[in-house]
Amino acid sequence: MAKREKLLIGSHVSFRREDQLLGSLKEALQYQSTTFMFYTGAPQNTLRYPIDLEITKAAREEMRRQGIDPETVIVHAPYIINLANVDEEKHQFSIRFLKEELKRCEQLGIQYMVLHPGSHVGSGIDLGIEQIIDGLNQILKDTNVMILLETMAGKGSEIGSRFEELHRIIAGVHEQSRIGVCLDTCHLHDAGYDVKDFDHLLDEFDRIVGLSYVHCIHINDSKNPQASHKDRHENIGFGAIGFEALLKIIEHPKLQDIPKILETPYIDRLYPPYKEEIEMIRARTFDPKLQEEIMKKQVH
Ligand code: FE
Ligand code: FE
Ligand code: ZN
């Protein structure tokens, strides 16, 4: 792959019934993004509308005009899915739903789907990992989309907060060309890794999993101290990780071609911070008034 000159950065954006991928693209462009991520429907339910091929075609043409490479755009699987569940009915439901979700990715021309590996809900890590592997092998049989397992914060019985667990899952997957990883800076920090010493973290990841598996990075600050296992995202520079550490990750030479996606919280639960956060990242200078300023803009 040719080295990219421009920063590959974007955020989570919405995907609405009426304008689908075209609406997502427009939202991303409002934030001056060079890539983006979306759910193909509400993440907390399984209601899905059919993909409109006309809209998809128009969106892909517009992407070409705008210089956004569809190969870098990411879909996030709904978080109600839990492949790790030992309850056979729930496990099968997750597999069925993910297969449908992958078809939607294919219709949209999306190559990557980020997935939370799952929670063992009391049955233990070993059984949970077996279930995940079984599910992934059924799902990956008939798709050309790559599934990216997200590094988790280790909240409750979440699997995938340790590199060793991700390695065990990946080692059990038959379709090696369709399995990868999405690093999440907030989750890594909450899981106990020191993201401020990112070179060391990457070395460790490379040794245990392999750097070539990384195809996406979620860039989030964290509301909580390292190893808190909380998973509460914070705006860039306003949390326990801090601006300098996050900027270093965003600009890391080994991760240059990998899409960086912000999933930071809306200001006052209402106003997306992404345009301003991306601006701040491009300017390479933390703005401690950023949250306030976003609030002020809304008053007018
Ligand atoms: Fe996620
Ligand atoms: Fe994430
Ligand atoms: Zn999270």
Side-chain angles (χ1 to χ4, degrees), residues 48-278:
R48 293 295 181 268
Y49 303 108
I51 301 297
D52 185 307
L53 298 179
E54 287 298 305
I55 296 175
T56 304
K57 196 166 155 250
R60 293 181 64 87
E61 274 163 19
E62 186 60 16
M63 274 192 227
R64 205 170 314 126
R65 266 195 294 275
Q66 298 286 347
I68 290 192
D69 181 355
E71 283 182 33
T72 67
V73 176
I74 312 275
V75 158
H76 199 306
Y79 45 71
I80 45 158
I81 292 302
N82 183 12
L83 279 184
N85 208 315
V86 292
D87 179 302
E88 216 25 55
E89 206 171 302
K90 286 179 182 144
H91 182 60
Q92 287 306 328
F93 161 79
S94 293
I95 291 169
R96 262 199 321 275
F97 191 72
L98 279 174
K99 279 187 176 176
E100 282 165 30
E101 201 69 3
L102 287 169
K103 264 188 222 130
R104 297 160 64 77
C105 289
E106 285 167 17
Q107 290 171 334
L108 290 162
I110 300 295
Q111 300 198 352
Y112 297 111
M113 186 174 78
V114 170
L115 173 70
H116 294 176
S119 297
H120 64 71
V121 289
S123 58
I125 287 184
D126 292 343
L127 274 182
I129 286 179
E130 269 179 46
Q131 286 296 86
I132 296 169
I133 292 171
D134 170 76
L136 287 173
N137 280 331
Q138 292 191 47
I139 289 158
L140 289 173
K141 265 193 309 212
D142 30 41
T143 183
N144 48 40
V145 176
M146 194 191 277
I147 290 187
L148 306 180
L149 302 171
E150 183 162 349
T151 60
M152 301 309 291
K155 198 167 94 181
S157 64
E158 272 174 1
I159 294 171
S161 66
R162 307 302 307 168
F163 298 159
E164 289 80 0
E165 293 168 10
L166 294 172
H167 166 72
R168 281 173 64 190
I169 298 169
I170 290 170
V173 168
H174 304 319
E175 295 295 342
Q176 282 292 305
S177 62
R178 292 202 275 278
I179 191 77
V181 172
C182 169
L183 301 174
D184 183 309
T185 55
C186 167
H187 299 179
L188 288 166
H189 165 89
D190 286 18
Y193 291 102
D194 183 5
V195 293
K196 291 184 183 178
D197 190 359
F198 203 68
D199 286 312
H200 179 257
L201 184 150
L202 273 191
D203 282 346
E204 195 177 340
F205 183 88
D206 194 30
R207 192 160 30 81
I208 298 168
V209 182
L211 214 49
S212 62
Y213 283 102
V214 178
H215 293 278
C216 178
I217 306 181
H218 289 167
I219 303 287
N220 302 304
D221 214 325
S222 170
K223 285 196 196 291
N224 292 288
Q226 193 178 335
S228 60
H229 305 291
K230 285 275 196 336
D231 191 5
R232 294 194 61 212
H233 301 184
E234 180 55 283
N235 293 112
I236 304 301
F238 290 88
I241 300 174
F243 188 76
E244 291 308 317
L246 290 170
L247 189 65
K248 203 181 154 203
I249 297 168
I250 292 165
E251 295 182 338
H252 201 287
K254 285 186 181 167
L255 306 172
Q256 220 185 336
D257 294 333
I258 292 165
K260 325 272 179 335
I261 303 290
L262 306 172
E263 302 172 301
T264 49
Y266 276 29
I267 309 296
D268 225 20
R269 295 175 183 231
L270 284 173
Y271 314 119
Y274 307 124
K275 179 173 185 286
E276 288 79 1
E277 284 182 327
I278 289 170

Side-chain angles (χ1 to χ4, degrees), residues 6-13 25 27-36 66-68 262 274-275 278 282:
K6 66 180 181 189
L7 190 57
L8 254 185
I9 194 158
S11 70
H12 157 255
V13 294
L25 172 65
E27 187 180 342
L29 291 170
Q30 272 172 28
Y31 305 150
Q32 312 281 330
S33 296
T34 50
T35 186
F36 57 95
Q66 298 286 347
I68 290 192
L262 306 172
Y274 307 124
K275 179 173 185 286
I278 289 170
R282 286 211 176 94

